Amino acid sequence: MYRCRILVVEDDVSYQSVLERFLKKEFNIKVVGDCSQAMKQVGSGHFDLLLMDIKLPDGSGLDLMDKIRHILPSVPVIVMTGGGSAETAIQAIQRGAFHYLTKPFSLTELKHLVDKAIHHHRLEKENYWYHQELKSKYQFDNIIGNSPAILEVFKLVEKIAQSDSTVLIQGGSGTGKELIAKAIHYNSPRSEKPLVTVNCGALPEELLESELFGHVKGAFTGAHVSRQGRFELADQGTIFLDEVGDMSPRLQVKLLRVLQEQKFEPVGTSQTIQVNVRIIAATHQDLEVALKEKRFREDLYYRLNVIPIVVPTLARRSGDIPLLLVHFLEKFNREQKKNVTGFSKEVTQALCQYEWPGNVRELENLVERLVILKGEGEILSRDLPDKYFSVSLTSQQSLCLPPEGMDFNQTMETIENELIRQALMRTAGNKNKAAGLLRLKRTTLVEKLKRKKAIF
Ligand SMILES: Nc1ncnc2c1ncn2[C@@H]1O[C@H](COP(=O)(O)OP(=O)(O)OP(=O)(O)O)[C@@H](O)[C@H]1O
Ligand SMILES: [Mg+2]
């Protein structure tokens, strides 16, 4: 069962202990005594409600509330004011507090207000997510990222959504190709019409042909009734041909004709069907290689590739990783009713350096697993499987020989220093364990450290 988290900011020790004792029965409580500690808490975790004194030893509660709003914009705040300061209470409400309590207050009064604020916050959040979900179908809000590489893609997507041109989306597996295809459709003038998806890699040739173009009764053994194909179902809308690179040569010819004339014949008949369909295709294969190897038709490639979108790998936009981590953390906390508050600095750092062969999907799956297994609190280094800590020697920074060349010995030295630094950090300076992690003898590590005394 999810327990709401409340941050109490109060310097009066007697109030601190009464509030803590009373509220902890039902909530997760964190009590701090001043503004700077409050900011630290807010910076590292999530809260559902703030209960704060107005007069704090290192500043005003009202200013603190403004600062917190930048980090947690929707969290409700209840302020506690000393007796007789009605003006401050009004000011607090004007600056966005949910409500106020005038000291001394009864515990019944407190409980009533806390319940009301939490209920209100929950409704607001639900309302927010409800609208997000509706909007997400039509907007780019659910595609996370602000790295230059992904912003280029967003810009392109926005521009081409309005047109009817064929789009070819290329990118590694799990980079977000399908998400982008959906964004194009739902932002296009065809958004009210169907978006039909076909995975061309998942079906054998004959089945795929009838899936795409339909068949008439008796077209093949087992075809007891006629069936409309996906192209017909997508009429006036968009068809998303996923893994188009896996299509057989014969079907490639048939697809080429649809691209040229928007016409095709269902299996088993010579009757031509005319449609008006926008085509978005995607593949994780490098189609230029497939062309050279004659696995993909050149004419079809040029017809499909009217507007090419290449989705960068996650490693190429590692700046997006912290955003994606928070996005999926919120998603899985919500879906799984868990209360994981965040990732430690070391974890975020390790994940930013990891290579992510499975791209965003791999990151999404990892966060889901971590949220379920951890349940609450912060994700720490020990919660993360070891592979995420290995330094990736293929990451672009470390293995890119600059055109002017580089000092080999110095580069190797830098890599060695970095690995030793990380090993010591992860083992809290324990040389035995650090040597174990690096598969070195302890004496070898100690020897190296002596030589590098100036650095470590
Ligand atoms: N920029 C992003 N922001 C938020 N979620 C993303 C982003 N990119 C991908 N995802 C999520 O990652 C998962 C994989 O995305 P998607 O299915 O679109 O990738 P794909 O390139 O089609 O993968 P595959 O090649 O394996 O079919 C989905 O759950 C998707 O919602
Ligand atoms: Mg896909």
Side-chain angles (χ1 to χ4, degrees), residues 412-413 415-424 427 430-452 456:
M412 296 311 281
E413 182 84 18
I415 293 177
E416 184 175 288
N417 291 346
E418 179 58 21
L419 290 174
I420 293 178
R421 192 188 63 75
Q422 291 196 25
L424 286 170
T427 56
N430 182 322
K431 292 185 189 119
N432 254 339
K433 288 187 183 163
L437 272 182
L438 297 168
R439 318 278 188 275
L440 286 176
K441 278 193 202 145
R442 184 181 194 280
T443 44
T444 314
L445 178 66
V446 170
E447 204 42 50
K448 283 183 185 295
L449 285 171
K450 255 191 225 154
R451 267 194 288 118
K452 299 171 190 290
F456 290 96

Side-chain angles (χ1 to χ4, degrees), residues 205-217 219-220 226-232 250-251 253-275:
E205 181 179 341
E206 281 74 25
L207 274 183
L208 179 62
E209 181 175 17
S210 116
E211 189 73 18
L212 286 172
F213 307 108
H215 63 252
V216 293
K217 189 176 163 187
F220 47 83
S226 300
R227 197 175 154 217
Q228 269 189 333
R230 298 295 179 106
F231 267 105
E232 230 178 313
R250 191 171 65 81
L251 289 188
V253 177
K254 212 160 165 174
L255 176 61
L256 182 64
R257 171 136 180 265
V258 186
L259 276 161
Q260 284 166 337
E261 304 171 27
Q262 299 257 310
K263 278 183 193 159
F264 59 90
E265 287 84 35
V267 180
T269 173
S270 53
Q271 198 191 342
T272 303
I273 291 183
Q274 173 94 42
V275 284

Side-chain angles (χ1 to χ4, degrees), residues 174 176-178 240 242-243 282 361:
K177 297 184 294 296
E178 184 159 355
F240 174 47
D242 205 359
E243 297 312 342
R361 175 172 290 117

Side-chain angles (χ1 to χ4, degrees), residues 82-99:
S85 52
E87 215 170 277
T88 334
I90 293 167
Q91 237 183 329
I93 301 282
Q94 280 171 341
R95 280 165 77 163
F98 176 76
H99 223 297

Side-chain angles (χ1 to χ4, degrees), residues 179-439:
L179 206 59
I180 286 170
K182 284 182 182 161
I184 297 174
H185 171 75
Y186 286 116
N187 284 280
S188 77
R190 294 173 181 259
S191 63
E192 301 292 321
K193 303 287 180 198
L195 167 67
V196 174
T197 298
V198 185
N199 186 338
C200 305
L203 296 172
E205 181 179 341
E206 281 74 25
L207 274 183
L208 179 62
E209 181 175 17
S210 116
E211 189 73 18
L212 286 172
F213 307 108
H215 63 252
V216 293
K217 189 176 163 187
F220 47 83
T221 331
H224 300 303
V225 286
S226 300
R227 197 175 154 217
Q228 269 189 333
R230 298 295 179 106
F231 267 105
E232 230 178 313
L233 294 173
D235 194 22
Q236 308 300 318
T238 307
I239 194 163
F240 174 47
L241 300 175
D242 205 359
E243 297 312 342
V244 76
D246 294 352
M247 223 180 222
S248 71
R250 191 171 65 81
L251 289 188
Q252 288 181 30
V253 177
K254 212 160 165 174
L255 176 61
L256 182 64
R257 171 136 180 265
V258 186
L259 276 161
Q260 284 166 337
E261 304 171 27
Q262 299 257 310
K263 278 183 193 159
F264 59 90
E265 287 84 35
V267 180
T269 173
S270 53
Q271 198 191 342
T272 303
I273 291 183
Q274 173 94 42
V275 284
N276 173 357
V277 174
R278 180 188 202 173
I279 297 175
I280 303 178
T283 176
H284 73 276
Q285 289 194 36
D286 186 338
L287 282 189
E288 304 239 347
V289 174
L291 288 188
K292 281 196 195 114
E293 291 173 358
K294 306 255 181 274
R295 283 183 288 113
F296 205 79
R297 292 181 67 99
E298 205 165 338
D299 42 11
L300 177 59
Y301 175 69
Y302 290 115
R303 277 275 169 187
L304 282 175
N305 203 23
V306 179
I307 299 177
I309 297 183
V310 180
V311 192
T313 61
L314 189 53
R316 268 204 53 217
R317 46 177 157 129
S318 56
D320 291 342
I321 292 172
L323 291 179
L324 286 162
L325 287 172
V326 171
H327 170 75
F328 289 125
L329 183 77
E330 284 176 359
K331 174 178 166 193
F332 292 118
N333 265 337
R334 207 169 56 245
E335 280 181 18
Q336 306 286 343
K337 304 212 172 357
K338 301 284 182 199
N339 190 22
V340 176
T341 50
F343 302 86
S344 74
K345 228 163 66 199
E346 291 75 28
V347 169
T348 309
Q349 201 178 3
L351 295 179
C352 286
Q353 284 169 4
Y354 179 64
E355 198 61 22
W356 298 109
N359 295 296
V360 185
R361 175 172 290 117
E362 185 186 356
L363 184 145
E364 182 176 10
N365 292 343
L366 172 73
V367 177
E368 179 172 16
R369 209 162 54 234
L370 290 173
V371 166
I372 292 173
L373 294 179
K374 184 85 184 185
E376 59 180 15
E378 193 181 45
I379 308 273
L380 305 171
S381 301
R382 63 167 181 269
D383 301 318
L384 206 59
D386 264 0
K387 72 169 187 182
Y388 293 99
F389 286 102
S390 54
V391 167
S392 151
L393 289 181
T394 53
S395 90
Q396 65 272 48
Q397 295 104 324
S398 37
L399 261 198
C400 178
L401 180 63
E404 71 282 6
M406 61 156 62
D407 183 329
F408 179 80
N409 288 332
Q410 198 185 334
T411 307
M412 296 311 281
E413 182 84 18
T414 311
I415 293 177
E416 184 175 288
N417 291 346
E418 179 58 21
L419 290 174
I420 293 178
R421 192 188 63 75
Q422 291 196 25
L424 286 170
M425 215 171 77
R426 278 183 56 198
T427 56
N430 182 322
K431 292 185 189 119
N432 254 339
K433 288 187 183 163
L437 272 182
L438 297 168
R439 318 278 188 275

Side-chain angles (χ1 to χ4, degrees), residues 23-210:
L23 292 171
K24 80 174 181 201
K25 284 182 234 156
E26 213 178 309
F27 307 102
N28 280 347
I29 301 293
K30 185 82 207 166
V31 181
V32 295
D34 58 35
C35 299
S36 74
Q37 287 180 58
M39 284 310 291
K40 239 188 238 162
Q41 286 298 326
V42 168
S44 63
H46 158 83
F47 290 96
D48 299 289
L49 173 67
L50 260 70
L51 199 57
M52 60 163 73
D53 191 15
I54 285 274
K55 271 200 204 121
L56 291 161
D58 57 345
S60 125
L62 292 185
D63 293 341
L64 175 64
M65 186 168 75
D66 287 346
K67 277 195 217 151
I68 289 177
R69 275 279 141 73
H70 284 117
I71 306 172
L72 300 171
S74 63
V75 69
V77 179
I78 298 176
V79 295
M80 299 176 283
T81 63
S85 52
E87 215 170 277
T88 334
I90 293 167
Q91 237 183 329
I93 301 282
Q94 280 171 341
R95 280 165 77 163
F98 176 76
H99 223 297
Y100 64 91
L101 284 162
T102 312
K103 288 179 182 172
F105 47 81
S106 72
L107 291 177
T108 329
E109 232 182 310
L110 169 73
K111 176 79 170 64
H112 172 72
L113 254 192
V114 166
D115 284 348
K116 203 164 140 187
I118 285 177
H119 180 67
H120 174 83
H121 184 46
R122 193 170 292 149
L123 283 185
E124 267 205 340
K125 259 198 327 203
E126 276 172 16
N127 208 8
Y128 171 78
W129 285 113
Y130 174 70
H131 282 288
Q132 279 300 100
E133 253 165 44
L134 274 189
K135 248 174 37 181
S136 68
K137 243 176 125 183
Y138 303 105
Q139 300 209 342
F140 302 115
D141 301 20
N142 63 340
I143 314 185
I144 307 298
N146 66 6
S147 60
I150 202 74
L151 288 180
E152 278 299 306
V153 172
F154 294 169
K155 249 195 265 163
L156 189 58
V157 167
E158 245 168 345
K159 251 191 244 160
I160 61 174
Q162 294 310 313
S163 80
D164 251 351
S165 312
T166 304
V167 181
L168 177 63
I169 308 173
Q170 297 193 75
S173 80
T175 44
K177 297 184 294 296
E178 184 159 355
L179 206 59
I180 286 170
K182 284 182 182 161
I184 297 174
H185 171 75
Y186 286 116
N187 284 280
S188 77
R190 294 173 181 259
S191 63
E192 301 292 321
K193 303 287 180 198
L195 167 67
V196 174
T197 298
V198 185
N199 186 338
C200 305
L203 296 172
E205 181 179 341
E206 281 74 25
L207 274 183
L208 179 62
E209 181 175 17
S210 116

